[in-house]
Amino acid sequence: SKSICDFSSERMDICNMQGDVRMHGKSATVYVVSVSDDSYRPENGTVKIRPYPRKSEEGTMQTIREVSIRWSELDAPRCTVTHDVPAVVFSTGAYLNNFFHAMTDGIIPLFNTVREYDGHVQLVITDYNRKWVDKFQRILAALSKYPIINFDTDEKVRCFPSMHVGTEGHKEMGIIPALSRKGYTMTDFRKFLRSIYSLKREWSTPVNRTSGDRPRLLMILRRNSRAFANEAEAVAAAIEVGFEVVSAEPQVVSDMARFAEVVNSCDVMVGVHGAGLTNLVFLPRNATLVQVVPWGDMSWGSNAAFGAPSADMGLRYVQYETTPEETTLKYKYPRDHAIFTDVASINRQGYGMTWELFLNGQNITLDINRYRGVLQQIYHDSIMVDTSAN
């Protein structure tokens, strides 16, 4: 029986103990009773882990309940319940009500950690978030055959043959196969999702214009911020190019199972940077994501969140950068304001200022001619329209 802990990652701390491992959730303590001589053993006999994969964000991690892991053969409490499957302890706190973080910090690391057990694993949640559990119930049921244990309120002493504390999160919206213990990829993850939600399309296939078929373009619509101020014109431009347009209001997006089918039926998805673009996980391979990046020097972060992950998922990616003429900030501030002339100075004031001005404080009026040109390029190049019948 072996115990291995890894604290080297910038994103996560994780311990994997095998042998006689006991858990008392209410006191947030895990006892490692017997392991082999070559196992990891901390000098003082105890390590503490906050099981959420955003280790570098100190403020975020302070909100996560700390789990103590004690290597002790003498004072471990006696088992009151014995399990014959491994356990994984993870948090559903911090940002998991946001769909992007729910996937990036929750579901993808959990898949990477427990998929190998084919359902024969016990999920144990600290900072228990019922809303998150309900939303992802179908995914959680596919990962584990057993009822979830609420770590924070559990008074039993549970004994397991092995246990993970923490989940293996590698990067934004992604898995690094070389770091995955079983070599999982985002292709594996997307295949898993297609199976759970019975999604029909693995690939976005060519369209024959002569038959009257139109590729489907999904517009993710926002309402309170980062909305398309000229939404109707944007839809009309896409129809003019040759797309069948599907408009997704926020209330439609909230029903994940039903919306997954809608996303999977589409060949292109367009939206402003935000959590709604996380639905790209349901797009068929070879589909195109068009991310509209708000004004405010957000290119790098937007690409990290959705651009780079698109390649890992077998998707095409187009980044549409908002200009000063396209942001509604131009109606609030003169053109010689730092918001336009020295964006970096605004962002240096901290994320709160970036959020208030650039994320929560603007809508976008697309340059329709420019936008139409982008869609025409996608239509002819990425959709691979078949004109051989002409």
Side-chain angles (χ1 to χ4, degrees):
S1 298
K2 200 166 179 67
S3 173
I4 301 171
C5 291
D6 185 358
F7 308 107
S8 63
S9 169
E10 293 184 0
R11 201 168 184 94
M12 63 186 181
D13 288 333
I14 190 165
C15 280
N16 179 14
M17 294 78 64
Q18 298 180 18
D20 183 350
V21 186
R22 306 178 189 182
M23 177 191 91
H24 184 244
K26 198 161 187 180
S27 66
T29 306
V30 172
Y31 299 88
V32 185
V33 179
S34 62
V35 291
S36 60
D37 292 339
D38 62 343
S39 291
Y40 170 82
R41 286 177 181 268
E43 287 186 13
N44 64 357
T46 301
V47 298
K48 296 179 183 293
I49 288 180
R50 298 182 191 271
Y52 187 88
R54 287 209 171 256
K55 177 181 169 182
S56 63
E57 299 180 14
E58 187 174 337
T60 301
M61 297 304 288
Q62 288 301 313
T63 69
I64 304 299
R65 191 179 189 215
E66 194 172 62
V67 178
S68 296
I69 306 174
R70 297 178 56 186
W71 278 255
S72 173
E73 299 179 5
L74 299 177
D75 61 350
R78 291 186 176 183
C79 306
T80 58
V81 179
T82 300
H83 299 258
D84 60 0
V85 296
V88 58
V89 180
F90 65 103
S91 171
T92 55
Y95 306 126
L96 291 202
N97 284 328
N98 173 285
F99 189 33
F100 171 78
H101 287 284
M103 279 289 177
T104 289
D105 304 338
I107 294 298
I108 294 173
L110 185 62
F111 167 87
N112 192 28
T113 306
V114 308
R115 181 58 175 160
E116 65 181 276
Y117 298 114
D118 195 27
H120 298 284
V121 62
Q122 176 66 62
L123 303 184
V124 182
I125 296 179
T126 187
D127 307 309
Y128 189 88
N129 181 338
R130 176 165 292 281
K131 181 179 177 181
W132 186 88
V133 171
D134 289 345
K135 182 179 182 69
F136 295 101
Q137 190 276 332
R138 196 180 297 191
I139 292 176
L140 297 173
L143 290 173
S144 171
K145 300 177 183 295
Y146 308 97
I148 291 170
I149 294 172
N150 184 337
F151 188 70
D152 305 335
T153 61
D154 189 38
E155 298 184 351
K156 297 181 173 64
V157 177
R158 300 180 183 272
C159 293
F160 295 93
S162 66
M163 179 180 294
H164 299 265
V165 177
T167 52
E168 297 182 36
H170 298 155
K171 61 178 183 176
E172 304 296 277
M173 284 291 290
I175 297 170
I176 300 174
L179 299 181
S180 173
R181 289 183 309 118
K182 292 297 181 179
Y184 290 127
T185 67
M186 285 303 289
T187 298
D188 296 322
F189 178 68
R190 278 158 48 80
K191 181 179 179 181
F192 171 72
L193 291 182
R194 282 201 311 275
S195 173
I196 292 172
Y197 293 107
S198 302
L199 304 181
K200 298 175 182 177
R201 300 174 77 211
E202 180 178 1
W203 289 89
S204 172
T205 54
V207 173
N208 187 340
R209 279 187 294 182
T210 59
S211 69
D213 292 338
R214 286 173 167 245
R216 284 165 63 88
L217 182 146
L218 174 66
M219 289 195 70
I220 302 291
L221 303 178
R222 298 176 59 91
R223 287 293 173 250
N224 297 323
S225 65
R226 285 167 278 155
F228 292 120
N230 56 344
E231 179 184 304
E233 292 89 341
V235 170
I239 294 172
E240 179 186 330
V241 168
F243 289 101
E244 176 189 348
V245 177
V246 180
S247 296
E249 301 272 357
Q251 65 270 23
V252 175
V253 175
S254 64
D255 186 339
M256 189 171 66
R258 183 176 299 176
F259 191 59
E261 295 182 12
V262 174
V263 176
N264 186 249
S265 74
C266 294
D267 305 285
V268 179
M269 185 167 79
V270 177
V272 182
H273 174 75
L277 295 188
T278 307
N279 288 286
L280 64 85
V281 296
F282 304 120
L283 283 170
R285 295 184 69 178
N286 209 45
T288 301
L289 172 68
V290 181
Q291 177 174 207
V292 177
V293 180
W295 177 255
D297 195 19
M298 296 191 181
S299 178
W300 183 88
S302 296
N303 184 68
F306 299 110
S310 293
D312 293 343
M313 299 184 205
L315 304 174
R316 300 170 185 266
Y317 177 70
V318 175
Q319 190 155 300
Y320 183 105
E321 303 273 354
T322 298
T323 66
E325 289 304 314
E326 292 175 293
T327 175
T328 55
L329 290 170
K330 71 179 184 180
Y331 301 120
K332 300 179 183 179
Y333 301 94
R335 288 300 297 270
D336 60 355
H337 192 279
I339 278 180
F340 299 109
T341 62
D342 190 6
V343 172
S345 70
I346 303 293
N347 289 327
R348 281 197 297 270
Q349 296 178 47
Y351 185 74
M353 184 64 71
T354 299
W355 170 263
E356 180 182 343
L357 292 178
F358 297 133
L359 288 169
N360 210 37
Q362 70 173 309
N363 292 323
I364 293 156
T365 306
L366 291 167
D367 178 331
I368 293 300
N369 288 331
R370 178 180 166 220
Y371 177 65
R372 185 187 296 109
V374 170
L375 295 188
Q376 286 172 336
Q377 193 72 37
I378 294 169
Y379 185 82
H380 290 291
D381 293 349
S382 303
I383 298 300
M384 300 183 297
V385 179
D386 181 8
T387 58
S388 59
N390 290 342

